[in-house]
């Protein structure tokens, strides 16, 4: 049964499997990087807001 499989088809299947594995890897890395950037942006925003509030309330006019 295995002798009837053409080596070209086998190579095509191997390339297809590798291609789909790389697509899933790329997609997961893209999602992970997006989450990290979003979290960093939230930290920056909260620090920025806190600094602005401290600056506003520390004024002694």
């Amino acid at each position: 049964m295995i002798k009837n499989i053409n080596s070209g088809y086998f190579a095509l299947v191997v390339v297809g499997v590798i291609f789909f594995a790389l697509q899933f890897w790329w997609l997961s890395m893209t999602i992970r990087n997006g989450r990290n950037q979003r979290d960093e942006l939230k930290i920056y925003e909260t620090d920025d807001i806190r600094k602005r509030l401290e600056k506003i309330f520390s004024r002694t006019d």
Side-chain angles (χ1 to χ4, degrees), residues 1-16:
M1 182 175 165
I2 295 177
K3 293 180 182 180
N4 294 335
I5 297 176
N6 190 352
S7 62
Y9 290 123
F10 180 73
L12 186 62
V13 168
V14 169
V15 169

Side-chain angles (χ1 to χ4, degrees), residues 4-42:
N4 294 335
I5 297 176
N6 190 352
S7 62
Y9 290 123
F10 180 73
L12 186 62
V13 168
V14 169
V15 169
V17 168
I18 292 171
F19 174 76
F20 283 111
L22 286 173
Q23 290 296 312
F24 285 117
W25 172 80
W26 177 80
L27 186 60
S28 67
M29 292 302 291
T30 302
I31 292 170
R32 187 176 300 145
N33 288 334
R35 287 180 182 164
N36 290 342
Q37 287 178 356
R38 185 181 65 213
D39 292 342
E40 289 175 5
L41 183 60
K42 285 181 182 178

